């Protein structure tokens, strides 16, 4: 079996409370407009990649608890393959989006990555949470992503070399935390000295990329109205990988990823599993209509 992209890391069961007027304080109850329950994290990356025409799978132990069984159904409904041995606990995240930002409460069991299973899939590319899992196959392009749990791990250990990575993608807050308070550009430049391009997403301010040779690229975001921004980073990562695998220049991949993420967030929620992520055809039509990148 061969695939285009392996998403090596745990999918999450995401519970998203939309339409909150504010984040509740201790002891307070706040009513949301609606609840969306969807596969998140690596499942969201894989879904968007598949919508863009790539054969993407999630490679991670499969939860056998109640949350895991429900997540298996949701991923099957969304057409997201999930490959891995059984595990007793599943990551779950509650998202509280308010005014273009969001807060999370998450349970994140430590689930190992089966690098031998990744090698058997013979992918063109792998996207994985950092730190880099030991024994990753050398052939595929390797993209690194992070979240708050990974930031905590990275800060507790010496800085790893990222020379084997095609790129690292993280948001401005994560980059700042990892570099002890640097802004987006300074953080990207500092992290790029580890040996690969580092891309920092900035929400409504677009994204920046720093290369190890000191070059810095930036792109503005598309102005849209989005009901919530949960999953924006996953959508950006998927579109960047899709564009990069097509051989597009870094600046073009950066712009395409920013446009894809923002337009997907603004699109009406689809029927069925309600995953975010425009299809390749819908994305290209939206870009052409906006006289952007095709």
């Amino acid at each position: 079996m061969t695939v285009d992209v392996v998403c090596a890391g745990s999918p999450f069961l995401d519970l998203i409370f939309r339409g909150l007027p504010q984040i509740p304080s201790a002891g307070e109850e706040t009513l949301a407009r609606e609840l969306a329950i969807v596969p998140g994290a690596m499942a969201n990356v894989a879904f968007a990649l598949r919508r863009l025409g790539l054969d993407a799978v999630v490679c991670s132990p499969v939860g056998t608890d109640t949350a895991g069984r429900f997540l298996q159904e949701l991923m099957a409904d969304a057409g997201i393959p999930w490959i891995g041995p059984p595990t007793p606990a599943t990551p779950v995240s509650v998202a509280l989006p308010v005014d273009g930002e969001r807060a999370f409460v998450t349970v994140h069991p430590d689930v190992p990555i089966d690098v031998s299973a990744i090698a058997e899939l013979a992918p063109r590319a792998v996207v994985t949470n950092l730190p880099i899992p030991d024994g990753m196959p050398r052939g595929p392009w390797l993209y690194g992503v992070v979240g708050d749990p990974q930031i905590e791990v990275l800060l507790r250990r010496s800085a790893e070399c990222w020379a084997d990575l095609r790129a690292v993608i993280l948001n401005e807050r994560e980059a700042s935390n990892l570099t002890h308070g640097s802004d987006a550009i300074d953080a990207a430049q500092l992290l790029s000295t580890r040996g690969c391009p580092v891309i920092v997403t900035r929400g409504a301010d677009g994204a920046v990329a720093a290369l190890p040779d000191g070059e810095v690229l930036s792109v503005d975001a598309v102005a849209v109205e989005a009901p919530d921004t949960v999953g924006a980073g996953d959508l950006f990562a998927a579109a960047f990988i899709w564009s990069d695998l097509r051989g597009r220049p870094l600046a073009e991949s950066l712009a395409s990823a920013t446009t894809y993420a923002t337009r997907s967030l603004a699109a009406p929620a689809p029927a069925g599993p309600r995953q975010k992520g425009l299809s390749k055809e819908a994305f290209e039509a939206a870009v052409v209509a906006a006289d952007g990148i095709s």
Side-chain angles (χ1 to χ4, degrees):
M1 178 181 182
T2 61
V3 299
D4 290 313
V5 184
V6 167
C7 299
S10 297
F12 279 56
L13 180 64
D14 278 0
L15 286 74
I16 307 170
F17 288 82
R18 293 177 175 150
L20 285 169
Q22 72 275 330
I23 303 294
S25 57
E28 181 183 14
E29 180 180 10
T30 300
L31 295 179
R33 184 183 68 252
E34 63 176 353
L35 171 65
I37 304 177
V38 296
M42 284 298 179
N44 205 32
V45 178
F47 180 81
L49 285 165
R50 295 181 71 84
R51 292 280 282 167
L52 288 167
L54 294 177
D55 185 10
V57 304
V58 173
C59 187
S60 171
V62 179
T64 57
D65 56 347
T66 302
R69 294 194 298 272
F70 187 27
L71 182 54
Q72 289 181 58
E73 292 183 15
L74 293 177
M75 289 177 64
D77 288 344
I80 309 167
W82 187 5
I83 299 170
T87 189
T90 300
V92 177
S93 191
V94 174
L96 306 175
V98 175
D99 294 333
E101 257 304 341
R102 66 266 196 237
F104 294 94
V105 178
T106 298
V107 175
H108 189 199
D110 186 15
V111 178
I113 299 299
D114 187 347
V115 293
S116 62
I118 296 172
E120 290 177 5
L121 291 168
R124 297 168 59 198
V126 177
V127 54
T128 184
N129 292 310
L130 298 181
I132 304 168
D134 293 332
M136 272 294 198
R138 293 286 181 174
W141 283 355
L142 183 61
Y143 300 86
V145 295
V146 299
D148 285 340
Q150 290 79 41
I151 294 293
E152 293 181 9
V153 173
L154 290 168
L155 287 173
R156 290 197 302 265
R157 57 197 294 177
S158 58
E160 63 183 357
C161 175
W162 291 346
D164 291 336
L165 294 172
R166 181 74 176 176
V168 168
I169 303 169
L170 67 171
N171 67 33
E172 187 169 14
R173 182 182 53 79
E174 294 160 348
S176 178
N177 289 343
L178 193 53
T179 57
H180 306 287
S182 300
D183 65 21
I185 295 176
D186 288 344
Q189 290 180 303
L190 181 59
L191 293 172
S192 71
T193 63
R194 299 188 183 189
C196 77
V198 172
I199 298 156
V200 179
T201 61
R202 308 177 66 191
D205 293 325
V208 298
L211 281 66
D213 64 7
E215 182 181 4
V216 175
L217 305 172
S218 65
V219 62
D220 294 331
V222 179
V224 297
E225 290 292 332
D228 72 73
T229 60
V230 176
D234 301 329
L235 295 165
F236 182 99
F240 181 87
I241 293 167
W242 167 75
S243 181
D244 197 30
L245 287 175
R246 298 174 80 189
R248 299 297 179 87
L250 176 59
E252 191 170 319
S253 294
L254 192 67
S256 291
T258 302
T259 303
Y260 182 81
T262 53
R263 292 198 179 281
S264 294
L265 291 173
R274 303 190 65 171
Q275 289 292 114
K276 297 175 182 176
L278 293 174
S279 68
K280 177 176 176 290
E281 294 75 18
F283 174 52
E284 290 178 338
V287 170
V288 170
D291 194 26
I293 296 170
S294 59

